[in-house]
Amino acid sequence: MRTETPPFSYGLLPPLERFRDIFDDALYAPVPDAWWIASSDVTMSTAAIEEGRYRAVNLAGAAAIASIRNALPGREVPFVFGGDGASVLIPPDARAMVEAALAATVTWAREELGLTLRAGLIPVAAVREAGLDLRVARYQASADIAYAMFTGGGLAWAEAAMKTGRFAVAPAAGGTRPDLTGLSCRFKPVGRRGDPILSLIVVPRDGADRAAVRAVLEGVIAAIDEGPDMGCPLPEGGPPMGAPWTGLRDEVRVAGPLRGAFALRCAVAFARRCVSFAIFRFNLTVGRFSPKTYIRQLVANADFRKYDDGLRVTVACPLRTVDRIEAMLEAARAEGLVRYGLHRQEAAVVTCITPSPLRADHLHFVDGAGGGYARAAQNLKRAVG
């Protein structure tokens, strides 16, 4: 008797509760050929960061995730945030809606942030035609949030193809705006007890022994886990709320087309921010909203470590641990096992997607305040050997 294969549902994949399990290829599920990869990144992001625009770069990177999630309400889609870009897996019936959301996001980034955001929609079938694979797993970061992890080489291939102009999504007409509800960046950069904030990317070398590479990655995670709070760069009390005027213009630009002059919209947003600042500053419970509960969930939900064809982390570690990790990776590089890029900085920054402050499943993407993943990726490209 023939048994039909059930349709692929990311939300029904059994979650991985231990981060080190992400290195077990057997725990990943294949993504169907009919699905699509929405890929985006900010061009010249390093130059923008050097100009002090890391918040704008992170907002543009997270905007693709926010716009796609808002275009597909009630549907759980796998995604990964890369600092200056993102990748999202899309079911076949959602392609048209996602293309429109991406096109609007490209236009918004150019007109509101002055950044060039590239975007593409790549068929998963093309990944396999190129001889690679795309598999996904769900890592349960907290009781309320699971983040997607990827392996097989397909995501990296899709991003590279997008950057060449293949599968490009054209910008929408001028003035078109995506729905970025929930996207914000109101918190100050935060350090961690004098420890450096390390942004690190480690990718396997082509043809390297997978077991040996896994041992290296597990060694890196074990070293990080020895530190306080397993490397989480956010303190227990969460990042401090920024002053009401911090990042105000970017938040007004995220809010979308509102009636009134830009100055008036800034004034309205500033008044709202003053109220929010007071609520968090004085820990005021308003109705069903508790700032203390929200901050606890923020720290628990923080996306500071991930795997997408390579290990990516932004963590707080003692200096001796950072030095040990670098020595470990340099030895593995010399053996032909991995390539890596790292960047040390004094603080981390959080970009948030909070569809509703009353729900516990708000997302918080952590990156380094001094360039983070973008700097680490740049150093990865410069690495020799």
Side-chain angles (χ1 to χ4, degrees):
M1 181 176 179
R2 182 178 179 181
T3 302
E4 292 188 5
T5 303
F8 175 80
S9 176
Y10 168 73
L12 296 180
L13 295 179
L16 309 180
E17 297 183 358
R18 302 179 305 176
F19 187 75
R20 63 179 178 270
D21 287 341
I22 67 168
F23 302 123
D24 187 347
D25 289 345
L27 299 179
Y28 286 73
V31 179
D33 283 356
W35 279 51
W36 296 78
I37 305 165
S39 182
S40 66
D41 89 310
V42 175
T43 65
M44 303 297 291
S45 59
T46 303
I49 290 168
E50 288 175 349
E51 295 171 359
R53 305 197 64 209
Y54 63 88
R55 287 185 180 274
V57 170
N58 278 179
L59 278 173
I65 298 173
S67 66
I68 290 173
R69 282 167 53 92
N70 289 334
L72 306 174
R75 302 180 71 169
E76 186 176 3
V77 292
F79 59 82
V80 63
F81 170 72
D84 60 353
S87 296
V88 188
L89 296 192
I90 305 302
D93 64 313
R95 187 193 185 285
M97 291 179 287
V98 169
E99 184 172 14
L102 277 177
T105 304
V106 170
T107 296
W108 166 82
R110 184 185 70 240
E111 295 182 348
E112 298 290 356
L113 300 181
L115 295 173
T116 300
L117 185 71
R118 293 178 290 198
L121 275 170
I122 303 94
V124 173
V127 167
R128 295 202 169 96
E129 288 171 4
L132 299 167
D133 197 6
L134 180 58
R135 302 173 69 88
V136 63
R138 295 173 70 239
Y139 165 62
Q140 196 75 47
S142 74
D144 303 301
I145 281 294
Y147 288 109
M149 306 286 145
F150 301 91
T151 190
L155 214 61
W157 181 88
E159 180 182 355
M162 177 271 296
K163 289 180 178 180
T164 67
R166 293 182 64 190
F167 312 108
V169 171
T176 306
R177 294 295 180 266
D179 180 359
L180 298 177
T181 301
L183 179 62
S184 68
C185 187
R186 294 188 178 186
F187 295 98
K188 291 181 180 179
V190 59
R192 192 67 192 269
R193 293 187 292 272
D195 293 336
I197 301 297
L198 174 67
S199 291
L200 173 66
I201 302 174
V202 188
V203 297
R205 292 291 298 264
D206 292 340
D209 180 76
R210 295 192 64 82
V213 171
R214 177 175 175 176
V216 172
L217 299 181
E218 288 178 338
V220 171
I221 293 302
I224 293 170
D225 285 351
E226 292 173 4
D229 300 320
M230 302 175 72
C232 181
L234 307 183
E236 183 179 351
M241 177 69 74
W245 54 84
T246 303
L248 177 63
R249 288 178 172 270
D250 284 340
E251 182 164 321
V252 172
R253 293 182 174 109
V254 165
L258 302 174
R259 292 185 178 183
F262 186 76
L264 176 62
R265 291 157 54 194
C266 283
V268 172
F270 179 74
R272 292 173 178 169
R273 276 173 158 244
C274 287
V275 173
S276 297
F277 182 81
I279 289 172
F280 280 91
R281 177 66 177 81
F282 299 106
N283 194 28
L284 304 176
T285 298
V286 180
R288 293 190 293 127
F289 178 74
S290 165
K292 186 176 181 179
T293 298
Y294 181 87
I295 290 296
R296 185 177 66 250
Q297 293 166 345
L298 183 158
V299 175
N301 293 359
D303 176 37
F304 66 96
R305 52 186 183 175
K306 62 200 80 181
Y307 190 86
D308 59 305
D309 294 326
L311 179 66
R312 298 172 188 260
V313 299
T314 291
V315 292
C317 295
L319 181 59
R320 64 182 181 277
T321 302
V322 175
D323 290 340
R324 180 154 60 99
I325 290 172
E326 187 168 8
M328 184 188 313
L329 291 173
E330 184 58 25
R333 183 203 63 79
E335 293 177 22
L337 296 175
V338 303
R339 296 184 299 115
Y340 73 94
L342 57 79
H343 181 64
R344 308 180 191 205
Q345 57 237 298
E346 296 181 354
V349 65
V350 183
T351 302
C352 310
I353 297 180
T354 306
S356 168
L358 299 179
R359 287 167 40 184
D361 59 348
H362 34 99
L363 310 172
H364 303 279
F365 304 122
V366 179
D367 198 3
Y373 290 126
R375 289 280 195 185
Q378 185 180 45
N379 292 334
L380 173 67
K381 293 176 183 176
R382 289 174 176 170
V384 178

